Amino acid sequence: MSVDSVKSAIIEFLASTAPEVLCIRGHWGTGKTYNWKSIARDRRDKPGGVALNEYAYVSLFGLNTIGELKIQILQNTVVRAQIGDMASFATINNAVSTLERGAKKTLMQSIQGLLGNRAETFASALGLLTSGQIICIDDLERKGPKLGSDEVLGFISYLKYERDCKIALLLNDEALEGEDKKRFAAYLEKVVDRNLLFAPTPEESASIAIKDQNPLSLLVRERCSKLGIDNVRVIQKIHSEVQQIEPLLSAYKPDVLKDVAASIVLFGWMYHQPEIAPTLEFLQRHSRLSLSDNNNELTPQEFRWATRLDDYGFTHVDDLDLDLMSGISNGYFTQQRIDAHAADLNSRVLQREASARFRGAWAKLHYSFTGGEEVVNSIAQSFKDEAAYLTAEGLNSVVTLLRSFGMDGAIGDVIDAYVAAKSGVKDAFDVSRIFLRNENLDEEVEKRFYEAQNKQSQPRHIDQVFLQLGEDAFSAETLTTLSSAPVDEYVRVFKEHEGDQLRTILAGVFQYRGIANASEPMREIVSKAQEALTAIGKESRINAHRVKGWGVTIPKEEIAAHDDSGLTPASQA
């Protein structure tokens, strides 16, 4: 049911004096409570907007007995003019009509102060004070385990028939489980007069969550709607994350912010709703161009993800995306991490435009029954034209397509275009970073990638490998070079570098100690670093003191008899 229909039902419910029960069901975060509260507060000041004089909103969260619920109703009852106001002494005493209300609350507080938990015993008697009022009972699915849904519905029935009350029940019925869910379903029809499903469209949820009309807010609303996000709280969190990163992108092209905002919407959805959003692993192997490949076997959930991602315009995950995901998880973004991807940021706009043209070429194959096999040639040509901005996954899809049509002669040119366009690009030919679905990497593509990688890979001097540990600690080259180097090389490097360089080297080496499932090369690197520091520490007392800061302790008897000053340890003591 649309938001407007539910709003109309709430307005009719509030304006009527007839005792009745209104049930509003819906997923968490879709705005059930927000709409109820905002409408009730708005209608209180309109003539005839709220028919009854007293009102109470209570949450069942953690409540385990009907007695506790009765106490909550009594404590939260206000007069019509105070609906939606923050509870305070002012709201209790601001009008003569509140005297009865104040008496109820004062009485309950006094009883609780004197009797503690035994105050519940008196709740039933005091329940007689609850009559002829509107009561909203929220969070049925979050009630305590000792309170049954059937008990709540039975009490609601009592309030309606015996106390002439109007009751609105808000819940996510899908969260109820087992016997409790069965009892709820059995009693619901007998108790509830009007049962509504609150299922706003993603567009309606985005409009509820984001009221601002500035261009960036409108963009986030549009992007959230495109992904089908209907959780108001999630949309609000995503909007906040985009607003947080906006000033960090002020030095870049305006379209960069649009592109980054679209990424944050997707990654924010994944982080805040992991139970329904695509996984990172799925994103990494997702390729729009292989979606229609009959050899691909996707689960129904994966197919829905793939279709939604295609419609959203998502193509692949890059290093900037991983940093954005990290920022969302950490709760903040940094200018340093953003600027580290400056080239990527500005190329994203060009990449998006190139990807759109490339998808357009594929659309003529998948979404048209006109034209012949020249369409396949146009796809290959489009890839060659846009190769600088496309991915290895896209290349593999084009090659696979050409092979399926027996156009093997055109494959070499397509691979050549990609290799030429990606020359010098870090990891462009690393086959371990190619994420496919169930299809295999084409043998010719794999062979050419290995050739290109070997051709462009110039072995780094070992000092450079040490100095770049902060940014390249897990590459095969780094692990192989350092794990195979002799301890003497570690000693030399440690002693020839000072200050920030030495700190970078040592921090980089010992980061492997914090990895629970460290590989054998990682363990070997740590072992050799410790052995090298041990040798250095034994040279003098001052060096023994220095290496201790890196977790290496040198027994006094093993420190050299003479340190750098030429004095024996005994003479210095």
Side-chain angles (χ1 to χ4, degrees):
M1 179 173 285
S2 72
V3 172
D4 288 341
S5 298
V6 173
K7 284 183 177 180
S8 296
I10 294 174
I11 290 172
E12 292 173 7
F13 175 84
L14 293 171
S16 169
T17 59
E20 58 182 323
V21 179
L22 171 67
C23 178
I24 302 176
R25 300 172 290 114
H27 294 152
W28 283 320
T30 51
K32 301 182 301 294
T33 302
Y34 169 83
N35 274 276
W36 169 268
K37 288 185 174 180
S38 60
I39 293 171
R41 193 184 193 291
D42 176 68
R43 300 300 296 178
R44 77 178 193 183
D45 298 322
K46 291 181 168 50
V50 178
L52 302 182
N53 186 53
E54 291 190 339
Y55 167 91
Y57 169 85
V58 297
S59 170
L60 286 171
F61 186 80
L63 300 189
N64 277 298
T65 67
I66 294 299
E68 291 176 348
L69 174 56
K70 291 177 180 179
I71 291 173
Q72 288 297 311
I73 292 172
L74 290 167
Q75 288 186 329
N76 289 286
T77 296
V78 297
V79 294
R80 179 171 46 228
Q82 298 167 351
I83 293 175
D85 290 347
M86 183 71 68
S88 66
F89 286 112
T91 61
I92 296 174
N93 300 299
N94 70 343
V96 174
S97 59
T98 66
L99 290 177
E100 181 185 357
R101 161 75 187 99
K104 292 179 187 179
K105 186 166 187 176
T106 301
L107 184 56
M108 278 307 307
Q109 289 175 335
S110 299
I111 291 175
Q112 283 188 294
L114 291 171
L115 303 177
N117 293 333
R118 287 182 294 163
E120 206 174 299
T121 306
F122 293 87
S124 295
L126 290 173
L128 296 174
L129 296 175
T130 300
S131 64
Q133 73 178 80
I134 297 171
I135 303 170
C136 178
I137 299 177
D138 200 355
D139 299 320
L140 176 68
E141 71 281 3
R142 293 188 173 103
K143 60 181 175 53
K146 297 180 181 179
L147 180 61
S149 295
D150 54 337
E151 293 180 81
V152 176
L153 289 173
F155 179 59
I156 288 174
S157 179
Y158 164 79
L159 289 173
K160 171 188 171 182
Y161 290 109
E162 302 299 329
R163 307 309 302 162
D164 291 333
C165 291
K166 298 174 66 66
I167 305 94
L169 178 64
L170 312 184
L171 76 153
N172 176 8
D173 59 324
E174 293 183 1
L176 296 175
E177 298 177 342
E179 287 299 317
D180 194 49
K181 187 171 185 175
K182 292 179 181 178
R183 290 195 297 269
F184 173 79
Y187 279 85
L188 182 66
E189 186 178 348
K190 300 175 182 177
V191 174
V192 171
D193 298 296
R194 192 168 183 183
N195 187 8
L196 307 179
L197 174 63
F198 187 76
T201 65
E203 291 79 11
E204 289 172 328
S205 293
S207 296
I208 293 170
I210 303 174
K211 299 298 184 183
D212 297 340
Q213 297 296 313
N214 60 71
L216 185 62
S217 296
L218 293 176
L219 173 65
V220 176
R221 281 169 55 177
E222 186 273 330
R223 294 280 83 191
C224 287
S225 299
K226 193 76 171 176
L227 277 177
I229 306 174
D230 63 0
N231 189 301
V232 172
R233 286 190 291 272
V234 169
I235 296 172
Q236 289 172 335
K237 290 177 182 178
I238 291 172
H239 185 220
S240 176
E241 289 155 356
V242 173
Q243 288 177 315
Q244 183 185 137
I245 205 171
E246 180 182 14
L248 304 183
L249 298 170
S250 59
Y252 299 96
K253 296 179 180 179
D255 279 355
V256 168
L257 176 58
K258 295 180 181 178
D259 206 50
V260 170
S263 294
I264 290 179
V265 170
L266 172 59
F267 305 145
W269 179 42
M270 292 166 55
Y271 179 75
H272 297 299
Q273 286 192 292
E275 68 280 0
I276 62 174
T279 63
L280 175 58
E281 185 274 334
F282 182 79
L283 256 64
Q284 288 175 320
R285 63 186 173 90
H286 174 75
S287 169
R288 178 192 187 282
L289 302 178
S290 60
L291 175 61
S292 61
D293 188 342
N294 292 329
N295 293 324
N296 278 327
E297 294 182 3
L298 300 177
T299 67
Q301 175 68 288
E302 288 177 333
F303 186 82
R304 288 192 294 271
W305 284 343
T307 303
R308 192 173 295 190
L309 290 172
D310 292 340
D311 189 44
Y312 192 68
F314 170 82
T315 55
H316 70 288
V317 175
D318 57 23
D319 290 339
L320 172 58
D321 292 328
L322 296 177
D323 262 358
L324 293 176
M325 292 181 192
S326 177
I328 293 170
S329 176
N330 294 336
Y332 62 88
F333 305 95
T334 66
Q335 190 70 61
Q336 181 182 10
R337 297 309 303 160
I338 293 298
D339 290 343
H341 300 286
D344 292 338
L345 283 165
N346 285 310
S347 69
R348 275 194 165 213
V349 176
L350 299 175
Q351 182 183 56
R352 185 180 64 225
E353 293 172 350
S355 296
R357 290 190 291 269
F358 190 40
R359 288 196 301 272
W362 277 85
K364 294 178 182 178
L365 172 66
H366 295 311
Y367 307 114
S368 174
F369 291 105
T370 62
E373 294 185 7
E374 71 276 4
V375 172
V376 178
N377 289 321
S378 70
I379 291 173
Q381 185 60 50
S382 177
F383 184 89
K384 290 189 288 185
D385 293 342
E386 313 291 355
Y389 301 104
L390 300 178
T391 66
E393 290 86 353
L395 169 64
N396 197 66
S397 293
V398 174
V399 170
T400 301
L401 178 67
L402 290 170
R403 289 207 191 282
S404 69
F405 280 89
M407 299 179 179
D408 292 24
I411 290 174
D413 288 344
V414 174
I415 299 176
D416 286 343
Y418 184 84
V419 170
K422 299 293 186 178
S423 178
V425 178
K426 181 184 176 183
D427 299 325
F429 308 114
D430 185 351
V431 296
S432 67
R433 297 172 65 92
I434 300 175
F435 297 92
L436 303 174
R437 293 210 181 99
N438 296 323
E439 71 269 27
N440 295 319
L441 182 63
D442 184 86
E443 290 184 4
E444 187 172 350
V445 171
E446 186 173 13
K447 177 184 176 183
R448 292 290 304 278
F449 273 29
Y450 277 123
E451 291 174 353
Q453 189 172 37
N454 292 332
K455 184 177 180 181
Q456 77 172 21
S457 296
Q458 298 297 325
R460 292 176 292 167
H461 190 275
I462 190 171
D463 292 49
Q464 186 180 15
V465 175
F466 272 111
L467 289 166
Q468 293 177 337
L469 274 169
E471 59 192 50
D472 192 27
F474 302 99
S475 71
E477 180 193 2
T478 295
L479 295 174
T480 300
T481 300
L482 298 187
S483 63
S484 60
V487 174
D488 288 347
E489 273 293 89
Y490 279 73
V491 173
R492 179 192 65 78
V493 170
F494 291 173
K495 296 183 75 172
E496 288 185 1
H497 293 84
E498 297 181 341
D500 288 343
Q501 289 187 342
L502 181 58
R503 181 167 57 250
T504 297
I505 290 170
L506 292 174
V509 165
F510 287 117
Q511 68 180 301
Y512 299 121
R513 284 195 300 208
I515 299 176
N517 58 342
S519 64
E520 182 58 35
M522 294 176 188
R523 292 193 291 271
E524 183 70 13
I525 292 169
V526 173
S527 176
K528 289 183 175 182
Q530 290 174 324
E531 190 175 344
L533 289 180
T534 299
I536 294 172
K538 289 180 179 181
E539 295 175 354
S540 65
R541 288 199 306 170
I542 190 67
N543 280 352
H545 177 80
R546 287 164 172 158
V547 301
K548 189 174 183 180
W550 294 98
V552 176
T553 301
I554 309 297
K556 290 182 179 180
E557 62 272 16
E558 295 184 16
I559 300 174
H562 294 276
D563 67 11
D564 298 335
S565 69
L567 300 176
T568 64
S571 66
Q572 288 182 335

